[in-house]
Amino acid sequence: MIILMQFGATQAQIDAVCDAIRQHQVEPLVLPGEDRLAIGIPAALSAEQKDHIEASLNALDGVSKITHTSRPYKLASLEFHRAKTTVDVKGVKFGPGYFVIIGGPCSIESYEQFSKSARLVKAAGAKVLRGGAFKPRTSPYSFQGLAEEGLKIMKQVGEETGLVTISEVMSGDMVSLVAQYVDILQIGARSMQNFPLLIEAAKSGKPIFLKRSPSATIDEFLLAAEYLLNYGNKNVILCERGIVPLDRSYTRNTLDLASVPVLKEHTHLPVVVDPSHGTGVSKYVAPMAKAAMMAGADGLMIEMHPDPAAALSDGSQSLTPEQFSCLMDDLRTLSGYCGLKM
Amino acid sequence: MIILMQFGATQAQIDAVCDAIRQHQVEPLVLPGEDRLAIGIPAALSAEQKDHIEASLNALDGVSKITHTSRPYKLASLEFHRAKTTVDVKGVKFGPGYFVIIGGPCSIESYEQFSKSARLVKAAGAKVLRGGAFKPRTSPYSFQGLAEEGLKIMKQVGEETGLVTISEVMSGDMVSLVAQYVDILQIGARSMQNFPLLIEAAKSGKPIFLKRSPSATIDEFLLAAEYLLNYGNKNVILCERGIVPLDRSYTRNTLDLASVPVLKEHTHLPVVVDPSHGTGVSKYVAPMAKAAMMAGADGLMIEMHPDPAAALSDGSQSLTPEQFSCLMDDLRTLSGYCGLKM
Amino acid sequence: MIILMQFGATQAQIDAVCDAIRQHQVEPLVLPGEDRLAIGIPAALSAEQKDHIEASLNALDGVSKITHTSRPYKLASLEFHRAKTTVDVKGVKFGPGYFVIIGGPCSIESYEQFSKSARLVKAAGAKVLRGGAFKPRTSPYSFQGLAEEGLKIMKQVGEETGLVTISEVMSGDMVSLVAQYVDILQIGARSMQNFPLLIEAAKSGKPIFLKRSPSATIDEFLLAAEYLLNYGNKNVILCERGIVPLDRSYTRNTLDLASVPVLKEHTHLPVVVDPSHGTGVSKYVAPMAKAAMMAGADGLMIEMHPDPAAALSDGSQSLTPEQFSCLMDDLRTLSGYCGLKM
Amino acid sequence: MIILMQFGATQAQIDAVCDAIRQHQVEPLVLPGEDRLAIGIPAALSAEQKDHIEASLNALDGVSKITHTSRPYKLASLEFHRAKTTVDVKGVKFGPGYFVIIGGPCSIESYEQFSKSARLVKAAGAKVLRGGAFKPRTSPYSFQGLAEEGLKIMKQVGEETGLVTISEVMSGDMVSLVAQYVDILQIGARSMQNFPLLIEAAKSGKPIFLKRSPSATIDEFLLAAEYLLNYGNKNVILCERGIVPLDRSYTRNTLDLASVPVLKEHTHLPVVVDPSHGTGVSKYVAPMAKAAMMAGADGLMIEMHPDPAAALSDGSQSLTPEQFSCLMDDLRTLSGYCGLKM
């Protein structure tokens, strides 16, 4: 933490800042400068200490700017945890050297629809099956999912096909229910900062697939992961799925692909990209999927529906089985180039 | 819903679009144009019908652009509900002709701190007392609130001072607990699209204070309110508290004050502004509070702490008692000018 | 400038950073911390030195994060120039204690239209007359303005009414032409970082009205002003006119009103708000105009057209003469409350 | 253009809207709906007509929402110009089947630095040489370029190496000067809506490299290209270089890679990506460069400096010669996979 004093700050103002810092049991370090003086706090501070110190200094005269010099996450940080994490779900590995495809429809609509989706997904070479049972929908008038009935279908279809399954859980009190039926718990983008949910999901012991909120900075995203890690769950997979768009006329979100190398540099956790939500338009999914692999992602989540035009949700961004299969072929070729196992 | 066909679309393509529309039991209307033809769907469509039609048309050749012509909310809409709503909480009125101040600390830290805050808030002329017991915090290492102990303090202090109370509820399974102790349930910005929470909060029958998510469009915000109204709760107060910032160097969020006249034009629900979170900096609270009144807000939520420098959370954006009292005086003068009762 | 070393950085890495800094003729200061070490550079650095040092350190191992602790502007800074600037244009004062209204149509369309506008603007009490002669238009097919013919009309109407005049100049080579005819040169939002234009405009000696680019941070905005000041022109008026919107469905831009108190705290230059472009919708102009006064602005720029429905540009955001006059009355009442002279 | 009437709009209000439309010499089409009526305008409208009609209707009672159904650009549109454009500059082709690398330093600093850069760029296999002579810099205190001296160096080095050259022109009155020395005129991101510059650049007859403004929507970007096309210049290359960032802590901009497939769908012009400015961090350039190729780009602009730590500008985002050469090797391998000629 660095406190920049205003140009012309008096000695009394400087002393007041130093005194205020000392009241928090840390020792300030005065850094003379040519036109302005800075005061550093060389101690490791807790988030609470930072809050308090910042609040107490904001009230003082002569303070120009307070800058935080350190990153706020620790457990999620590659700096403090030098080995990259591999999340292994029933033998499917998210981590260095692998590239995992998660495919399936937005929603589980019926046994027939989901079973057919699963067989198509598997035939195309994907290892993980997605499908929503509890659907967070912007409008109360949209299809809200089959609820537990959907989870039962997922469990049955997962067993029949041998695919690993993933579905979203929307609240802490439903974690134990969803965890009974699925292999990976998804925390949706709208729930990234639903802290009671994060805590319950972490405690369940299930691998967690954490989607980035469209408004989240990298630090906020990694602090949400920090909740999961802090509650003892090490099997955390991050997912970039698009941030608030500059232009909603052509895509639903702005897929922030550069977040992949940024995250890979700063965290040990695997990073998956969802180009279906990231663009919201089926024809942009394939180019962005391939781009995500080149950007360094550890896998993809892609929506595929046996008949997108009849989908009960997100039909506009779902691939047809043919498009999905064709994309999988392309990705397999590319994965060879990248030295990744699919 | 209007489907614009591409320049040079063939009759067969036009027919295919019309047929796809008819499969959804609605009749298309062909609108010839000079260089491009459009196809309108003049029926009132449900959100699901729109999703299906859009998905089925996206797959067809010759389609250039699909445009939704109507607003997605109904119950929240001023167009369909011509009388402005007044939310009356124990005689405190949010609605036309009134201007309500909600004041208090970010967190309930102790009986002493909160009781003192309440007396200062009341003395300055505010009618509603805020304070967090369950705190959503970006970092797991920050102060998380006193939980139920905090709610008990709030209830006691509310009774002692006669102030109406408001506190945040973070998950659906805690609605009944929080509803026991407080007068108004706050749904925080991070929870605006926590749909299980919205549904439980609505069902509680308590007045709801719904904060806008930093990434929410006006339509998304009003659709969250639509959930509450659709589950039978008519006492909904909207709160603008800042959207994703362009520039994080000087403020924490961008306070979208123009959302006030926009919302007042399109919804019958009262609109409150939170300049404390909206800016994140105590010295910007007073100018933005006065600006909010002029923009047409029905009230303000303002953080005040007896000793901001000792606050366990959000000290940087909290007013001192003196600043709060001085702002209240200014607002009272202005409210006379605006013909509002404070 | 503070360089945070990675957790576990070696002494050799630390030494390499210090050596790299010394090659730029400044002395590093090592700040030991509990878990990570930081290295400060206490000297005042030029922008170029900062660029070089940052680039050289980015290439070194063990560096976690580089943070700039100082603000990049000097001449525009209130910290270095303690007296607030009053820009006096033929007796019309932009600065402390005053509130100036700039009114008029988007474009100068004819002598009749502009003369009528001017008389209405003056009758309502405004002191400055706006009107575009050279119009920057997003589409090449939109009305581009009357060019020099428009400037002649402006000059004549200015003389006839005694109003101070302002018009936009779009390129450096046209500064001398525009400066012949108008009292204040406007630099439009799209030109905020048109550096050849900034330099020519500064050299003209005319007062400059500098609009914020919709993508500009506060620092970028003040650095554009810094260009003007650095080329010797002290008569700079800043104008907030809306930043990139989160939601384009209801407003054209997001009016960043909190930038007013932010700017007033950090610069000595006067700040004007343009709620017409800031919202793009005539019915939101009046509430946002009043809000801007309360936020601390030194004036307003408002579009008014004798007949908005017949305007050749920006009719949707222009007030009618009646709306303008009514708003002026409201502002006069409010200005009394604020102790401002209109 | 579709005008949605409010729920409960009266016949008189509907008639007034139709009359207002007819005054613009176009015939409205009334579309009955279940709960709200819409009025369509099936004629092709000029941008001016749209402005006028919208302004006149905004003033009328009973109007709920006005929606534009068509895209605003024509000459840049793939719909109206079905053949993809190939821009051929001295035999270097930007267009289908090719992938062009533009490399070189941010600024031309000296003959030695630039000549060395050019030889390295060429040895690595790039075909086009970049270098800034007139530099738009956010701060007036940063290095502003060598001006004409730099252009002379560029011309000489271009001739010596046989590389095609590109440099930025910042204002209309300098187009003829810059055009004398370089093969491709670059319009920088800050100048995308510098309309006098666009017009002069178009008229020069030189190929134009148009960078997207960080705040530009796709429509605004294509309308800037429309200016160039409308003034008779068909050799336009578009460049995505990052939009306003959500998070400035880790990257300088948000590289909007999905804009590549969006642009490829809607325009016939070639699209190049600049991952150096798009991220601002040298270590993210390679992954984003490869991702851009997979997203469908027609080429890349990449900053390389013989010694980034000594660069006079943008050292932090410049690759070293070794990094550049290594990336070129990777891209060549990938281009084989994509069937592109490099």
Side-chain angles (χ1 to χ4, degrees):
Chain A
M1 206 170 182
I2 296 288
I3 297 92
L4 186 74
M5 298 302 292
Q6 291 179 353
F7 174 76
T10 64
Q11 189 58 44
Q13 290 172 336
I14 296 164
D15 291 346
V17 167
C18 290
D19 288 350
I21 292 169
R22 285 194 196 96
Q23 290 191 1
H24 295 274
Q25 277 71 55
V26 286
E27 186 55 29
L29 190 64
V30 174
L31 313 171
E34 250 172 68
D35 59 2
R36 296 198 284 189
L37 175 145
I39 297 169
I41 305 180
L45 302 171
S46 70
E48 274 184 52
Q49 279 181 303
K50 280 185 207 165
D51 283 1
H52 291 190
I53 294 177
E54 186 165 353
S56 60
L57 300 186
N58 270 327
L60 298 178
D61 289 331
V63 171
S64 172
K65 192 181 168 189
I66 297 173
T67 306
H68 295 280
T69 50
S70 63
R71 309 275 183 211
Y73 44 87
K74 298 261 156 158
L75 302 176
S77 167
L78 184 61
E79 230 172 84
F80 288 88
H81 182 289
R82 283 289 178 186
K84 288 275 183 181
T85 290
T86 296
V87 177
D88 184 328
V89 191
K90 293 182 166 176
V92 174
K93 296 186 173 68
F94 293 86
Y98 296 90
F99 195 78
V100 182
I101 310 298
I102 304 168
C106 177
S107 301
I108 303 167
E109 300 170 11
S110 68
Y111 173 79
E112 289 64 33
Q113 171 256 13
F114 197 61
S115 167
K116 188 173 180 189
S117 301
R119 278 175 288 118
L120 290 162
V121 159
K122 188 175 184 182
K127 298 268 176 62
V128 186
L129 177 64
R130 64 153 287 147
F134 296 95
K135 299 297 307 171
R137 301 305 300 274
T138 301
S139 165
Y141 310 124
S142 297
F143 175 63
Q144 309 272 329
L146 295 184
E148 191 172 358
E149 184 54 33
L151 294 176
K152 287 179 181 167
I153 293 171
M154 173 167 267
K155 190 176 169 68
Q156 183 183 346
V157 169
E159 286 168 359
E160 288 168 3
T161 56
L163 290 166
V164 165
T165 58
I166 177 170
S167 197
E168 177 164 354
V169 54
M170 286 164 68
S171 62
D173 57 353
M174 299 187 68
V175 165
S176 61
L177 176 75
V178 179
Q180 269 179 258
Y181 293 105
V182 308
D183 297 317
I184 305 174
L185 296 178
Q186 176 176 318
I187 311 276
R190 295 178 182 90
S191 305
M192 191 199 85
Q193 292 189 319
N194 181 336
F195 303 114
L197 169 57
L198 293 178
I199 294 168
E200 289 309 310
K203 289 181 182 166
S204 75
K206 286 272 177 180
I208 313 284
F209 189 84
L210 179 68
K211 288 192 144 187
R212 181 182 182 185
S213 159
S215 67
T217 61
I218 296 292
D219 283 357
E220 288 165 346
F221 190 18
L222 290 178
L223 281 169
E226 191 89 357
Y227 264 91
L228 299 171
L229 297 165
N230 193 42
Y231 279 86
N233 195 322
K234 293 185 183 335
N235 291 312
V236 177
I237 303 156
L238 303 175
C239 178
E240 160 64 33
R241 48 70 77 199
I243 55 175
V244 280
L246 175 66
D247 182 354
R248 292 167 203 269
S249 304
Y250 293 87
T251 55
R252 192 196 263 203
N253 293 288
T254 293
L255 187 64
D256 181 15
L257 265 196
S259 72
V260 176
V262 169
L263 288 167
K264 303 295 283 185
E265 184 189 356
H266 291 282
T267 183
H268 51 87
L269 299 170
V271 179
V272 166
V273 170
D274 175 349
S276 303
H277 286 86
T279 63
V281 182
S282 61
K283 63 190 135 193
Y284 305 145
V285 170
M288 298 318 286
K290 290 184 272 185
M293 181 186 270
M294 301 315 302
D298 297 300
L300 294 166
M301 172 175 263
I302 296 173
E303 289 194 356
M304 186 276 286
H305 193 283
D307 181 7
L312 293 183
S313 57
D314 277 356
S316 297
Q317 70 192 36
S318 293
L319 299 188
T320 62
E322 296 66 37
Q323 290 166 335
F324 184 76
S325 174
C326 173
L327 170 58
M328 287 296 291
D329 290 344
D330 281 1
L331 291 169
R332 251 187 305 272
T333 307
L334 271 178
S335 70
Y337 162 81
C338 298
L340 297 171
K341 214 174 150 199
M342 257 178 76
Chain B
M1 205 170 182
I2 297 285
I3 298 92
L4 186 73
M5 299 302 291
Q6 291 180 352
F7 174 74
T10 65
Q11 190 57 43
Q13 289 171 338
I14 296 163
D15 292 346
V17 167
C18 290
D19 288 350
I21 292 169
R22 286 195 195 96
Q23 290 191 2
H24 295 275
Q25 276 74 51
V26 286
E27 188 54 32
L29 190 62
V30 174
L31 314 171
E34 251 173 69
D35 59 4
R36 294 197 285 186
L37 176 146
I39 297 170
I41 304 179
L45 301 171
S46 70
E48 274 184 51
Q49 279 181 304
K50 279 185 205 161
D51 283 2
H52 292 189
I53 294 176
E54 186 165 353
S56 60
L57 299 186
N58 270 327
L60 297 179
D61 290 330
V63 172
S64 173
K65 192 181 168 191
I66 297 173
T67 307
H68 294 281
T69 50
S70 62
R71 309 275 184 211
Y73 44 87
K74 299 259 154 159
L75 302 175
S77 167
L78 184 60
E79 229 171 86
F80 289 88
H81 183 289
R82 282 289 178 186
K84 288 273 184 183
T85 290
T86 296
V87 176
D88 184 328
V89 191
K90 294 181 166 178
V92 175
K93 293 187 175 67
F94 294 85
Y98 297 91
F99 196 77
V100 182
I101 309 299
I102 304 168
C106 177
S107 300
I108 302 166
E109 300 170 11
S110 67
Y111 173 78
E112 289 65 33
Q113 168 257 15
F114 197 61
S115 167
K116 187 171 182 192
S117 300
R119 279 176 285 118
L120 290 162
V121 159
K122 188 175 183 180
K127 299 264 176 64
V128 186
L129 177 64
R130 64 152 289 149
F134 295 95
K135 299 296 306 170
R137 302 302 301 272
T138 300
S139 166
Y141 310 124
S142 298
F143 175 61
Q144 310 273 328
L146 294 184
E148 191 172 358
E149 184 54 31
L151 294 177
K152 287 180 182 166
I153 293 171
M154 172 167 268
K155 190 175 169 69
Q156 183 183 344
V157 169
E159 287 168 359
E160 289 169 3
T161 56
L163 289 166
V164 165
T165 58
I166 178 171
S167 197
E168 176 164 354
V169 54
M170 285 164 69
S171 61
D173 57 353
M174 300 188 66
V175 164
S176 61
L177 177 75
V178 179
Q180 269 180 259
Y181 295 105
V182 308
D183 297 318
I184 305 175
L185 296 178
Q186 176 175 317
I187 312 274
R190 294 179 184 91
S191 305
M192 190 199 86
Q193 291 190 320
N194 180 336
F195 302 113
L197 168 57
L198 292 178
I199 293 169
E200 289 309 310
K203 288 181 182 166
S204 75
K206 286 272 177 181
I208 314 282
F209 189 84
L210 179 68
K211 289 193 143 187
R212 181 182 182 186
S213 157
S215 67
T217 61
I218 296 292
D219 283 357
E220 288 165 348
F221 190 18
L222 289 178
L223 280 169
E226 190 88 359
Y227 264 91
L228 300 170
L229 298 166
N230 192 42
Y231 278 85
N233 196 320
K234 293 186 184 333
N235 292 311
V236 177
I237 302 156
L238 303 175
C239 178
E240 161 64 34
R241 47 73 75 201
I243 55 174
V244 279
L246 176 66
D247 183 353
R248 292 168 201 269
S249 305
Y250 293 87
T251 55
R252 191 197 265 205
N253 293 289
T254 294
L255 188 64
D256 181 16
L257 265 197
S259 72
V260 176
V262 169
L263 287 167
K264 304 295 281 184
E265 184 191 357
H266 291 282
T267 183
H268 52 88
L269 299 170
V271 179
V272 166
V273 169
D274 175 349
S276 304
H277 286 87
T279 63
V281 182
S282 61
K283 63 189 132 191
Y284 306 146
V285 170
M288 297 318 285
K290 289 184 272 185
M293 182 187 270
M294 302 315 302
D298 299 299
L300 294 166
M301 171 174 264
I302 296 173
E303 291 194 355
M304 185 276 285
H305 193 282
D307 181 5
L312 293 183
S313 56
D314 278 355
S316 297
Q317 69 192 35
S318 293
L319 299 188
T320 62
E322 295 68 35
Q323 290 166 335
F324 184 76
S325 176
C326 173
L327 171 58
M328 288 296 291
D329 291 345
D330 281 359
L331 291 170
R332 252 186 306 271
T333 308
L334 271 178
S335 69
Y337 162 81
C338 298
L340 297 171
K341 213 174 151 203
M342 255 179 76
Chain C
M1 204 171 182
I2 296 287
I3 297 93
L4 186 74
M5 299 301 290
Q6 292 180 350
F7 174 76
T10 64
Q11 189 58 43
Q13 290 171 338
I14 296 163
D15 291 347
V17 168
C18 291
D19 287 351
I21 292 169
R22 285 193 196 97
Q23 290 191 2
H24 295 274
Q25 276 71 56
V26 287
E27 187 56 30
L29 190 62
V30 174
L31 314 171
E34 253 173 67
D35 59 2
R36 296 197 284 187
L37 175 146
I39 297 168
I41 305 180
L45 301 170
S46 70
E48 273 184 52
Q49 279 181 303
K50 280 185 206 165
D51 283 1
H52 291 189
I53 293 176
E54 185 164 354
S56 60
L57 299 186
N58 270 327
L60 297 179
D61 290 330
V63 171
S64 173
K65 193 180 168 190
I66 297 173
T67 306
H68 295 280
T69 50
S70 62
R71 309 273 184 214
Y73 44 86
K74 300 258 156 159
L75 301 177
S77 168
L78 184 60
E79 227 172 87
F80 289 88
H81 183 288
R82 284 288 178 188
K84 289 274 183 182
T85 289
T86 296
V87 177
D88 184 329
V89 192
K90 293 181 166 176
V92 175
K93 294 187 175 66
F94 294 85
Y98 296 91
F99 196 79
V100 181
I101 309 297
I102 304 167
C106 177
S107 300
I108 302 166
E109 300 170 11
S110 67
Y111 174 79
E112 289 66 32
Q113 170 258 13
F114 197 61
S115 168
K116 187 172 182 190
S117 301
R119 279 175 286 119
L120 290 162
V121 158
K122 188 175 185 181
K127 299 266 177 62
V128 186
L129 177 65
R130 63 153 287 149
F134 295 95
K135 299 296 304 171
R137 302 304 300 273
T138 301
S139 165
Y141 310 124
S142 299
F143 176 62
Q144 311 273 328
L146 294 185
E148 189 170 0
E149 184 55 32
L151 294 176
K152 288 180 181 167
I153 293 171
M154 173 167 266
K155 189 175 170 68
Q156 183 182 346
V157 169
E159 287 168 358
E160 288 168 2
T161 56
L163 289 165
V164 165
T165 58
I166 177 171
S167 197
E168 176 163 354
V169 54
M170 286 164 68
S171 62
D173 57 353
M174 300 186 65
V175 164
S176 61
L177 176 75
V178 179
Q180 270 180 257
Y181 294 105
V182 308
D183 297 316
I184 306 174
L185 296 177
Q186 176 176 316
I187 312 275
R190 296 179 183 89
S191 305
M192 190 198 86
Q193 292 190 319
N194 181 335
F195 303 114
L197 169 57
L198 293 177
I199 294 169
E200 288 309 310
K203 289 181 182 167
S204 74
K206 286 273 176 179
I208 313 283
F209 189 84
L210 179 68
K211 289 193 142 187
R212 181 183 182 186
S213 158
S215 67
T217 60
I218 295 293
D219 283 357
E220 287 164 348
F221 190 19
L222 290 178
L223 280 168
E226 191 89 358
Y227 263 90
L228 299 170
L229 297 165
N230 193 42
Y231 279 85
N233 195 321
K234 292 185 186 333
N235 291 312
V236 178
I237 303 157
L238 303 175
C239 178
E240 160 65 34
R241 48 72 74 199
I243 55 174
V244 280
L246 175 66
D247 183 353
R248 293 169 201 268
S249 304
Y250 294 87
T251 55
R252 191 196 265 205
N253 293 290
T254 294
L255 187 65
D256 181 17
L257 266 196
S259 72
V260 175
V262 169
L263 287 167
K264 302 296 281 185
E265 184 190 358
H266 291 282
T267 183
H268 52 88
L269 299 170
V271 180
V272 166
V273 170
D274 174 350
S276 302
H277 286 86
T279 63
V281 182
S282 61
K283 62 189 135 193
Y284 306 145
V285 170
M288 298 317 287
K290 290 184 271 184
M293 182 188 271
M294 301 315 302
D298 298 301
L300 293 165
M301 172 174 265
I302 295 173
E303 289 193 356
M304 186 276 286
H305 193 282
D307 180 5
L312 293 183
S313 57
D314 277 356
S316 296
Q317 70 192 36
S318 292
L319 300 187
T320 62
E322 295 68 35
Q323 292 166 334
F324 184 76
S325 175
C326 174
L327 171 58
M328 289 295 292
D329 290 345
D330 282 1
L331 291 169
R332 252 187 305 270
T333 308
L334 271 178
S335 69
Y337 162 82
C338 298
L340 296 172
K341 212 173 152 204
M342 254 177 78
Chain D
M1 206 173 183
I2 296 287
I3 298 93
L4 185 74
M5 299 301 292
Q6 291 180 351
F7 174 75
T10 65
Q11 189 58 44
Q13 289 172 336
I14 296 163
D15 291 347
V17 167
C18 290
D19 287 351
I21 292 169
R22 284 195 196 95
Q23 290 192 2
H24 296 273
Q25 278 71 54
V26 286
E27 187 55 30
L29 189 63
V30 175
L31 312 172
E34 252 172 67
D35 60 3
R36 296 198 283 190
L37 177 145
I39 296 169
I41 305 180
L45 303 169
S46 69
E48 274 185 52
Q49 279 181 302
K50 280 186 206 164
D51 283 1
H52 292 189
I53 293 177
E54 187 165 352
S56 60
L57 299 187
N58 270 328
L60 296 179
D61 291 330
V63 171
S64 172
K65 192 181 168 189
I66 296 174
T67 307
H68 294 281
T69 51
S70 63
R71 310 273 184 213
Y73 44 88
K74 299 259 156 160
L75 302 175
S77 167
L78 184 59
E79 228 172 85
F80 289 87
H81 183 288
R82 283 289 178 185
K84 289 274 182 181
T85 290
T86 296
V87 177
D88 184 328
V89 191
K90 292 182 167 178
V92 175
K93 295 187 173 68
F94 294 85
Y98 296 91
F99 196 79
V100 182
I101 309 299
I102 304 167
C106 178
S107 299
I108 303 166
E109 301 170 10
S110 68
Y111 173 78
E112 289 64 33
Q113 170 256 14
F114 197 62
S115 167
K116 188 172 181 190
S117 301
R119 280 177 285 118
L120 290 163
V121 158
K122 188 176 185 181
K127 300 266 175 63
V128 186
L129 178 63
R130 64 153 287 147
F134 295 95
K135 299 296 306 170
R137 301 304 300 273
T138 301
S139 165
Y141 310 122
S142 298
F143 175 62
Q144 310 272 327
L146 295 184
E148 190 171 0
E149 184 55 32
L151 294 176
K152 288 181 180 166
I153 293 171
M154 173 168 266
K155 190 176 169 69
Q156 182 181 348
V157 170
E159 288 168 357
E160 289 168 1
T161 57
L163 290 166
V164 165
T165 58
I166 178 171
S167 197
E168 178 164 354
V169 55
M170 286 165 69
S171 62
D173 57 352
M174 300 186 67
V175 164
S176 61
L177 176 75
V178 179
Q180 268 179 260
Y181 294 105
V182 307
D183 299 315
I184 306 174
L185 296 178
Q186 176 176 317
I187 312 275
R190 296 179 182 89
S191 305
M192 191 199 84
Q193 291 189 319
N194 181 334
F195 303 114
L197 169 57
L198 292 177
I199 293 168
E200 288 309 310
K203 288 181 182 165
S204 76
K206 286 273 178 179
I208 313 282
F209 189 84
L210 179 68
K211 288 193 145 189
R212 181 182 181 187
S213 158
S215 67
T217 61
I218 296 292
D219 283 357
E220 287 164 348
F221 189 19
L222 289 178
L223 281 168
E226 191 88 357
Y227 263 91
L228 299 170
L229 297 166
N230 192 42
Y231 278 85
N233 195 322
K234 293 186 185 332
N235 291 312
V236 177
I237 303 157
L238 303 175
C239 179
E240 160 65 34
R241 48 70 78 199
I243 55 174
V244 279
L246 176 66
D247 182 354
R248 292 168 201 269
S249 305
Y250 293 87
T251 55
R252 190 196 265 203
N253 292 291
T254 294
L255 188 64
D256 181 16
L257 265 197
S259 73
V260 177
V262 169
L263 287 167
K264 301 296 281 186
E265 184 190 356
H266 291 282
T267 183
H268 51 88
L269 299 170
V271 179
V272 166
V273 169
D274 175 349
S276 303
H277 287 87
T279 63
V281 182
S282 61
K283 62 189 134 193
Y284 306 145
V285 170
M288 298 318 286
K290 289 185 272 185
M293 182 187 271
M294 302 315 301
D298 298 302
L300 294 165
M301 172 175 265
I302 296 173
E303 290 193 357
M304 187 277 284
H305 193 282
D307 181 7
L312 293 183
S313 56
D314 278 356
S316 296
Q317 69 192 36
S318 292
L319 299 187
T320 62
E322 295 68 36
Q323 290 166 335
F324 184 76
S325 175
C326 174
L327 171 58
M328 287 296 290
D329 290 345
D330 282 1
L331 290 170
R332 251 188 304 271
T333 307
L334 271 178
S335 69
Y337 161 82
C338 298
L340 297 171
K341 213 173 152 203
M342 258 177 76

